[in-house]
Amino acid sequence: MSTYDLEEQEQLAVLKAWWKQYGGVILALIMCVSLIFAAWTGWNWYQRSQSGKAASLYEQMQKISRGGDLKAIKDAAGIILEDYPRTNYASLAALISAKAHFQAGDLRTARIQLEWVISQARGAEIKAIARLRLASVLVDDNQSADAVKLLEAKAEDGFEGLYAAGRGDAFLGQKKYADAKSAYKAALESKKLDQGMRELVQIKLDALGDS
């Protein structure tokens, strides 16, 4: 029994010596991991909170947009963009605002909103939509050459046909009919172009005839 007690005491002494040497480091690591976990949990809660508030404002903005009050739409979008710029709702709000201003003939404000989405949005699909809409704004604003440059960038997956169709419209705005035809044909070759858009592109292509 005394031998067993001696071995146990030796093991305890070794453990105490080891803890004396490494215990502080281990406690520091545990504290660090705990702080990181707490920070991560807090950040996730903050993100969910921000997203929830932005969603509520976005829902209100959708109702406002149906009323057609341009100033109210711009103000609502401004609040979301300023207070919740890192949420997806900010990009969606900017798209709604841009559409309303475009329809009202305010191409400058529409352009600003769309450029914000292109530079700030996180989702590739939202950015692609913004590029396509900005290209339309540029064509309407007699800046078709800029629209072509905008859509010459590599298209996001699934948007190749729409980019090509957009380039066709931009070339048409420049009266570059051969280039427009080539772009429209490229759009029609895309398997991901939906039927409605395919029919519209075909009409534009047919209208060009042998020009």
Side-chain angles (χ1 to χ4, degrees):
M1 180 66 71
S2 59
T3 302
Y4 181 79
D5 289 343
L6 181 60
E7 290 178 354
E8 195 175 57
Q9 289 174 8
E10 287 176 349
Q11 291 174 359
L12 185 59
V14 170
L15 181 60
K16 286 181 178 179
W18 182 86
W19 182 257
K20 184 176 181 180
Q21 183 175 358
Y22 299 107
V25 175
I26 292 173
L27 288 174
L29 286 173
I30 292 173
M31 181 64 72
C32 183
V33 170
S34 298
L35 288 173
I36 291 173
F37 179 75
W40 178 79
T41 302
W43 175 250
N44 282 340
W45 175 85
Y46 174 76
Q47 289 288 83
R48 288 194 297 271
S49 175
Q50 292 291 94
S51 182
K53 292 176 182 176
S56 178
L57 287 172
Y58 178 70
E59 185 177 351
Q60 294 176 28
M61 182 182 176
Q62 286 181 307
K63 294 177 181 177
I64 292 171
S65 67
R66 289 193 285 270
D69 187 334
L70 198 60
K71 184 180 184 304
I73 293 171
K74 184 176 181 179
D75 290 344
I79 292 172
I80 298 175
L81 265 64
E82 183 176 349
D83 294 346
Y84 309 100
R86 297 178 65 83
T87 67
N88 287 332
Y89 294 104
S91 297
L92 294 174
L95 288 178
I96 288 179
S97 179
K99 181 180 179 180
H101 283 87
F102 175 73
Q103 292 174 338
D106 185 352
L107 302 183
R108 179 178 177 277
T109 300
R111 179 172 181 171
I112 291 172
Q113 298 278 9
L114 292 169
E115 287 174 343
W116 187 93
V117 176
I118 292 170
S119 65
Q120 300 297 325
R122 294 183 176 184
E125 184 174 330
I126 292 178
K127 286 188 175 184
I129 292 170
R131 286 194 183 94
L132 287 166
R133 293 186 182 180
L134 178 56
S136 294
V137 171
L138 292 171
V139 170
D140 273 41
D141 203 23
N142 297 316
Q143 299 182 51
S144 295
D146 290 338
V148 172
K149 291 179 182 177
L150 182 68
L151 297 179
E152 281 178 343
K154 186 178 185 305
E156 288 77 0
D157 186 39
F159 284 84
E160 297 86 355
L162 291 172
Y163 270 43
R167 288 195 301 273
D169 292 342
F171 283 130
L172 196 59
Q174 294 178 284
K175 293 182 171 55
K176 294 182 177 180
Y177 302 121
D179 291 333
K181 288 178 69 174
S182 295
Y184 288 143
K185 287 178 181 178
L188 292 173
E189 290 172 1
S190 173
K191 295 180 180 179
K192 295 183 179 180
L193 197 68
D194 67 53
Q195 187 59 33
M197 190 64 187
R198 187 177 297 278
E199 292 174 359
L200 179 59
V201 171
Q202 186 64 60
I203 290 172
K204 292 178 180 179
L205 182 59
D206 292 343
L208 286 170
D210 298 326
S211 57

